[in-house]
PDB file of all heavy atoms in Angstrom:
ATOM      1  N   GLU A   1       0.813  -1.218   0.000  1.00 95.00           N
ATOM      2  CA  GLU A   1       0.000   0.000   0.000  1.00 95.00           C
ATOM      3  C   GLU A   1       0.842   1.261   0.000  1.00 95.00           C
ATOM      4  O   GLU A   1       0.443   2.286  -0.561  1.00 95.00           O
ATOM      5  CB  GLU A   1      -0.954   0.004   1.194  1.00 95.00           C
ATOM      6  CG  GLU A   1      -2.078  -0.995   1.053  1.00 95.00           C
ATOM      7  CD  GLU A   1      -3.096  -0.889   2.169  1.00 95.00           C
ATOM      8  OE1 GLU A   1      -3.236   0.203   2.760  1.00 95.00           O
ATOM      9  OE2 GLU A   1      -3.744  -1.910   2.446  1.00 95.00           O
ATOM     10  N   GLY A   2       2.044   1.217   0.581  1.00 95.00           N
ATOM     11  CA  GLY A   2       2.900   2.390   0.679  1.00 95.00           C
ATOM     12  C   GLY A   2       3.436   2.911  -0.638  1.00 95.00           C
ATOM     13  O   GLY A   2       3.926   4.032  -0.706  1.00 95.00           O
ATOM     14  N   ILE A   3       3.344   2.124  -1.704  1.00 95.00           N
ATOM     15  CA  ILE A   3       3.819   2.587  -3.012  1.00 95.00           C
ATOM     16  C   ILE A   3       2.675   2.919  -3.960  1.00 95.00           C
ATOM     17  O   ILE A   3       2.897   3.190  -5.138  1.00 95.00           O
ATOM     18  CB  ILE A   3       4.757   1.556  -3.687  1.00 95.00           C
ATOM     19  CG1 ILE A   3       4.023   0.255  -4.003  1.00 95.00           C
ATOM     20  CG2 ILE A   3       5.987   1.320  -2.852  1.00 95.00           C
ATOM     21  CD1 ILE A   3       4.726  -0.619  -5.014  1.00 95.00           C
ATOM     22  N   LEU A   4       1.450   2.929  -3.428  1.00 97.00           N
ATOM     23  CA  LEU A   4       0.289   3.211  -4.271  1.00 97.00           C
ATOM     24  C   LEU A   4      -0.193   4.642  -4.102  1.00 97.00           C
ATOM     25  O   LEU A   4      -0.032   5.244  -3.045  1.00 97.00           O
ATOM     26  CB  LEU A   4      -0.852   2.249  -3.920  1.00 97.00           C
ATOM     27  CG  LEU A   4      -0.573   0.764  -4.105  1.00 97.00           C
ATOM     28  CD1 LEU A   4      -1.770  -0.051  -3.646  1.00 97.00           C
ATOM     29  CD2 LEU A   4      -0.196   0.436  -5.537  1.00 97.00           C
ATOM     30  N   THR A   5      -0.809   5.163  -5.165  1.00 96.00           N
ATOM     31  CA  THR A   5      -1.451   6.476  -5.102  1.00 96.00           C
ATOM     32  C   THR A   5      -2.800   6.331  -4.407  1.00 96.00           C
ATOM     33  O   THR A   5      -3.234   5.227  -4.091  1.00 96.00           O
ATOM     34  CB  THR A   5      -1.678   7.051  -6.517  1.00 96.00           C
ATOM     35  OG1 THR A   5      -2.621   6.198  -7.205  1.00 96.00           O
ATOM     36  CG2 THR A   5      -0.384   7.142  -7.301  1.00 96.00           C
ATOM     37  N   GLU A   6      -3.497   7.443  -4.222  1.00 96.00           N
ATOM     38  CA  GLU A   6      -4.837   7.404  -3.624  1.00 96.00           C
ATOM     39  C   GLU A   6      -5.802   6.589  -4.476  1.00 96.00           C
ATOM     40  O   GLU A   6      -6.773   6.036  -3.978  1.00 96.00           O
ATOM     41  CB  GLU A   6      -5.374   8.831  -3.454  1.00 96.00           C
ATOM     42  CG  GLU A   6      -4.619   9.650  -2.438  1.00 96.00           C
ATOM     43  CD  GLU A   6      -5.132  11.072  -2.366  1.00 96.00           C
ATOM     44  OE1 GLU A   6      -6.109  11.415  -3.062  1.00 96.00           O
ATOM     45  OE2 GLU A   6      -4.545  11.853  -1.599  1.00 96.00           O
ATOM     46  N   ASN A   7      -5.523   6.514  -5.800  1.00 97.00           N
ATOM     47  CA  ASN A   7      -6.383   5.775  -6.720  1.00 97.00           C
ATOM     48  C   ASN A   7      -5.984   4.311  -6.863  1.00 97.00           C
ATOM     49  O   ASN A   7      -6.530   3.600  -7.692  1.00 97.00           O
ATOM     50  CB  ASN A   7      -6.364   6.431  -8.106  1.00 97.00           C
ATOM     51  CG  ASN A   7      -6.883   7.850  -8.071  1.00 97.00           C
ATOM     52  OD1 ASN A   7      -7.718   8.192  -7.244  1.00 97.00           O
ATOM     53  ND2 ASN A   7      -6.397   8.678  -8.961  1.00 97.00           N
ATOM     54  N   GLY A   8      -4.976   3.867  -6.081  1.00 95.00           N
ATOM     55  CA  GLY A   8      -4.562   2.472  -6.138  1.00 95.00           C
ATOM     56  C   GLY A   8      -3.605   2.132  -7.260  1.00 95.00           C
ATOM     57  O   GLY A   8      -3.378   0.963  -7.549  1.00 95.00           O
ATOM     58  N   LYS A   9      -3.039   3.148  -7.890  1.00 95.00           N
ATOM     59  CA  LYS A   9      -2.051   2.937  -8.961  1.00 95.00           C
ATOM     60  C   LYS A   9      -0.641   3.001  -8.371  1.00 95.00           C
ATOM     61  O   LYS A   9      -0.417   3.623  -7.339  1.00 95.00           O
ATOM     62  CB  LYS A   9      -2.192   4.012 -10.051  1.00 95.00           C
ATOM     63  CG  LYS A   9      -3.562   4.078 -10.686  1.00 95.00           C
ATOM     64  CD  LYS A   9      -3.847   2.858 -11.502  1.00 95.00           C
ATOM     65  CE  LYS A   9      -5.206   2.990 -12.189  1.00 95.00           C
ATOM     66  NZ  LYS A   9      -5.576   1.821 -12.925  1.00 95.00           N
ATOM     67  N   ILE A  10       0.309   2.378  -9.049  1.00 94.00           N
ATOM     68  CA  ILE A  10       1.698   2.402  -8.578  1.00 94.00           C
ATOM     69  C   ILE A  10       2.265   3.807  -8.728  1.00 94.00           C
ATOM     70  O   ILE A  10       2.168   4.413  -9.792  1.00 94.00           O
ATOM     71  CB  ILE A  10       2.551   1.390  -9.361  1.00 94.00           C
ATOM     72  CG1 ILE A  10       2.031  -0.025  -9.113  1.00 94.00           C
ATOM     73  CG2 ILE A  10       4.018   1.494  -8.956  1.00 94.00           C
ATOM     74  CD1 ILE A  10       2.609  -1.063 -10.039  1.00 94.00           C
ATOM     75  N   ASP A  11       2.849   4.328  -7.660  1.00 94.00           N
ATOM     76  CA  ASP A  11       3.496   5.636  -7.668  1.00 94.00           C
ATOM     77  C   ASP A  11       4.999   5.403  -7.862  1.00 94.00           C
ATOM     78  O   ASP A  11       5.696   5.023  -6.934  1.00 94.00           O
ATOM     79  CB  ASP A  11       3.234   6.363  -6.347  1.00 94.00           C
ATOM     80  CG  ASP A  11       3.797   7.772  -6.322  1.00 94.00           C
ATOM     81  OD1 ASP A  11       4.711   8.078  -7.130  1.00 94.00           O
ATOM     82  OD2 ASP A  11       3.344   8.560  -5.479  1.00 94.00           O
ATOM     83  N   TYR A  12       5.476   5.614  -9.076  1.00 90.00           N
ATOM     84  CA  TYR A  12       6.878   5.320  -9.405  1.00 90.00           C
ATOM     85  C   TYR A  12       7.861   6.283  -8.759  1.00 90.00           C
ATOM     86  O   TYR A  12       9.044   5.990  -8.675  1.00 90.00           O
ATOM     87  CB  TYR A  12       7.063   5.258 -10.921  1.00 90.00           C
ATOM     88  CG  TYR A  12       6.375   4.046 -11.510  1.00 90.00           C
ATOM     89  CD1 TYR A  12       5.139   4.157 -12.131  1.00 90.00           C
ATOM     90  CD2 TYR A  12       6.951   2.790 -11.395  1.00 90.00           C
ATOM     91  CE1 TYR A  12       4.504   3.037 -12.643  1.00 90.00           C
ATOM     92  CE2 TYR A  12       6.320   1.669 -11.897  1.00 90.00           C
ATOM     93  CZ  TYR A  12       5.099   1.797 -12.524  1.00 90.00           C
ATOM     94  OH  TYR A  12       4.460   0.690 -13.016  1.00 90.00           O
ATOM     95  N   THR A  13       7.388   7.431  -8.265  1.00 90.00           N
ATOM     96  CA  THR A  13       8.291   8.316  -7.531  1.00 90.00           C
ATOM     97  C   THR A  13       8.552   7.767  -6.128  1.00 90.00           C
ATOM     98  O   THR A  13       9.557   8.092  -5.518  1.00 90.00           O
ATOM     99  CB  THR A  13       7.729   9.751  -7.424  1.00 90.00           C
ATOM    100  OG1 THR A  13       6.490   9.725  -6.724  1.00 90.00           O
ATOM    101  CG2 THR A  13       7.536  10.361  -8.809  1.00 90.00           C
ATOM    102  N   LYS A  14       7.660   6.923  -5.620  1.00 92.00           N
ATOM    103  CA  LYS A  14       7.879   6.248  -4.336  1.00 92.00           C
ATOM    104  C   LYS A  14       8.615   4.923  -4.537  1.00 92.00           C
ATOM    105  O   LYS A  14       9.499   4.583  -3.774  1.00 92.00           O
ATOM    106  CB  LYS A  14       6.547   5.981  -3.637  1.00 92.00           C
ATOM    107  CG  LYS A  14       5.830   7.208  -3.158  1.00 92.00           C
ATOM    108  CD  LYS A  14       4.513   6.834  -2.509  1.00 92.00           C
ATOM    109  CE  LYS A  14       3.736   8.066  -2.093  1.00 92.00           C
ATOM    110  NZ  LYS A  14       2.411   7.693  -1.576  1.00 92.00           N
ATOM    111  N   LEU A  15       8.233   4.169  -5.551  1.00 91.00           N
ATOM    112  CA  LEU A  15       8.812   2.848  -5.802  1.00 91.00           C
ATOM    113  C   LEU A  15      10.240   2.942  -6.328  1.00 91.00           C
ATOM    114  O   LEU A  15      11.116   2.218  -5.892  1.00 91.00           O
ATOM    115  CB  LEU A  15       7.951   2.064  -6.786  1.00 91.00           C
ATOM    116  CG  LEU A  15       8.476   0.692  -7.194  1.00 91.00           C
ATOM    117  CD1 LEU A  15       8.527  -0.239  -5.994  1.00 91.00           C
ATOM    118  CD2 LEU A  15       7.654   0.103  -8.308  1.00 91.00           C
ATOM    119  N   LYS A  16      10.484   3.848  -7.286  1.00 90.00           N
ATOM    120  CA  LYS A  16      11.786   4.021  -7.937  1.00 90.00           C
ATOM    121  C   LYS A  16      12.347   2.678  -8.410  1.00 90.00           C
ATOM    122  O   LYS A  16      13.341   2.175  -7.905  1.00 90.00           O
ATOM    123  CB  LYS A  16      12.785   4.724  -7.023  1.00 90.00           C
ATOM    124  CG  LYS A  16      12.363   6.126  -6.634  1.00 90.00           C
ATOM    125  CD  LYS A  16      13.440   6.824  -5.846  1.00 90.00           C
ATOM    126  CE  LYS A  16      12.987   8.143  -5.310  1.00 90.00           C
ATOM    127  NZ  LYS A  16      12.753   9.180  -6.231  1.00 90.00           N
ATOM    128  N   PRO A  17      11.674   2.074  -9.412  1.00 89.00           N
ATOM    129  CA  PRO A  17      12.108   0.759  -9.880  1.00 89.00           C
ATOM    130  C   PRO A  17      13.519   0.779 -10.456  1.00 89.00           C
ATOM    131  O   PRO A  17      14.017   1.816 -10.885  1.00 89.00           O
ATOM    132  CB  PRO A  17      11.090   0.402 -10.960  1.00 89.00           C
ATOM    133  CG  PRO A  17      10.483   1.694 -11.368  1.00 89.00           C
ATOM    134  CD  PRO A  17      10.568   2.603 -10.184  1.00 89.00           C
ATOM    135  N   VAL A  18      14.146  -0.377 -10.444  1.00 90.00           N
ATOM    136  CA  VAL A  18      15.501  -0.537 -10.967  1.00 90.00           C
ATOM    137  C   VAL A  18      15.412  -1.212 -12.334  1.00 90.00           C
ATOM    138  O   VAL A  18      14.669  -2.178 -12.505  1.00 90.00           O
ATOM    139  CB  VAL A  18      16.361  -1.382 -10.005  1.00 90.00           C
ATOM    140  CG1 VAL A  18      17.725  -1.684 -10.597  1.00 90.00           C
ATOM    141  CG2 VAL A  18      16.490  -0.676  -8.664  1.00 90.00           C
ATOM    142  N   LEU A  19      16.151  -0.679 -13.296  1.00 91.00           N
ATOM    143  CA  LEU A  19      16.206  -1.257 -14.637  1.00 91.00           C
ATOM    144  C   LEU A  19      17.582  -1.871 -14.866  1.00 91.00           C
ATOM    145  O   LEU A  19      18.577  -1.404 -14.324  1.00 91.00           O
ATOM    146  CB  LEU A  19      15.972  -0.171 -15.696  1.00 91.00           C
ATOM    147  CG  LEU A  19      14.671   0.613 -15.591  1.00 91.00           C
ATOM    148  CD1 LEU A  19      14.644   1.709 -16.650  1.00 91.00           C
ATOM    149  CD2 LEU A  19      13.482  -0.300 -15.747  1.00 91.00           C
ATOM    150  N   PHE A  20      17.625  -2.898 -15.681  1.00 92.00           N
ATOM    151  CA  PHE A  20      18.892  -3.508 -16.058  1.00 92.00           C
ATOM    152  C   PHE A  20      19.164  -3.140 -17.501  1.00 92.00           C
ATOM    153  O   PHE A  20      18.355  -3.388 -18.382  1.00 92.00           O
ATOM    154  CB  PHE A  20      18.837  -5.029 -15.892  1.00 92.00           C
ATOM    155  CG  PHE A  20      20.102  -5.718 -16.306  1.00 92.00           C
ATOM    156  CD1 PHE A  20      21.260  -5.562 -15.563  1.00 92.00           C
ATOM    157  CD2 PHE A  20      20.140  -6.503 -17.440  1.00 92.00           C
ATOM    158  CE1 PHE A  20      22.442  -6.196 -15.933  1.00 92.00           C
ATOM    159  CE2 PHE A  20      21.309  -7.138 -17.821  1.00 92.00           C
ATOM    160  CZ  PHE A  20      22.456  -6.985 -17.077  1.00 92.00           C
ATOM    161  N   GLU A  21      20.306  -2.528 -17.757  1.00 91.00           N
ATOM    162  CA  GLU A  21      20.677  -2.067 -19.093  1.00 91.00           C
ATOM    163  C   GLU A  21      21.708  -3.030 -19.667  1.00 91.00           C
ATOM    164  O   GLU A  21      22.784  -3.224 -19.101  1.00 91.00           O
ATOM    165  CB  GLU A  21      21.220  -0.642 -18.994  1.00 91.00           C
ATOM    166  CG  GLU A  21      21.273   0.083 -20.307  1.00 91.00           C
ATOM    167  CD  GLU A  21      22.634   0.003 -20.945  1.00 91.00           C
ATOM    168  OE1 GLU A  21      23.626  -0.125 -20.226  1.00 91.00           O
ATOM    169  OE2 GLU A  21      22.696   0.056 -22.179  1.00 91.00           O
ATOM    170  N   MET A  22      21.351  -3.682 -20.775  1.00 84.00           N
ATOM    171  CA  MET A  22      22.124  -4.782 -21.311  1.00 84.00           C
ATOM    172  C   MET A  22      23.531  -4.439 -21.812  1.00 84.00           C
ATOM    173  O   MET A  22      24.468  -5.099 -21.408  1.00 84.00           O
ATOM    174  CB  MET A  22      21.320  -5.407 -22.446  1.00 84.00           C
ATOM    175  CG  MET A  22      21.177  -6.867 -22.516  1.00 84.00           C
ATOM    176  SD  MET A  22      21.635  -7.861 -21.125  1.00 84.00           S
ATOM    177  CE  MET A  22      22.189  -9.251 -22.009  1.00 84.00           C
ATOM    178  N   PRO A  23      23.715  -3.458 -22.697  1.00 84.00           N
ATOM    179  CA  PRO A  23      25.069  -3.275 -23.241  1.00 84.00           C
ATOM    180  C   PRO A  23      26.151  -3.014 -22.199  1.00 84.00           C
ATOM    181  O   PRO A  23      27.277  -3.457 -22.345  1.00 84.00           O
ATOM    182  CB  PRO A  23      24.934  -2.089 -24.189  1.00 84.00           C
ATOM    183  CG  PRO A  23      23.500  -2.098 -24.593  1.00 84.00           C
ATOM    184  CD  PRO A  23      22.750  -2.589 -23.373  1.00 84.00           C
ATOM    185  N   THR A  24      25.801  -2.306 -21.114  1.00 93.00           N
ATOM    186  CA  THR A  24      26.809  -1.993 -20.092  1.00 93.00           C
ATOM    187  C   THR A  24      26.671  -2.874 -18.858  1.00 93.00           C
ATOM    188  O   THR A  24      27.468  -2.753 -17.930  1.00 93.00           O
ATOM    189  CB  THR A  24      26.706  -0.521 -19.644  1.00 93.00           C
ATOM    190  OG1 THR A  24      25.436  -0.323 -19.014  1.00 93.00           O
ATOM    191  CG2 THR A  24      26.881   0.426 -20.809  1.00 93.00           C
TER     192      THR A  24
END
């Protein structure tokens, strides 16, 4: 619940997901 907006959507400014970048 701590990473959701009031509307129940994922808030990416709270979650800050990690991406994996292939070439590097």
Side-chain angles (χ1 to χ4, degrees):
E1 288 186 26
I3 64 162
L4 300 177
T5 65
E6 293 177 3
N7 299 330
K9 302 292 183 183
I10 297 168
D11 184 339
Y12 291 100
T13 61
K14 292 179 183 175
L15 177 64
K16 298 186 187 291
V18 174
L19 303 176
F20 178 69
E21 196 264 332
M22 226 13 213
T24 64

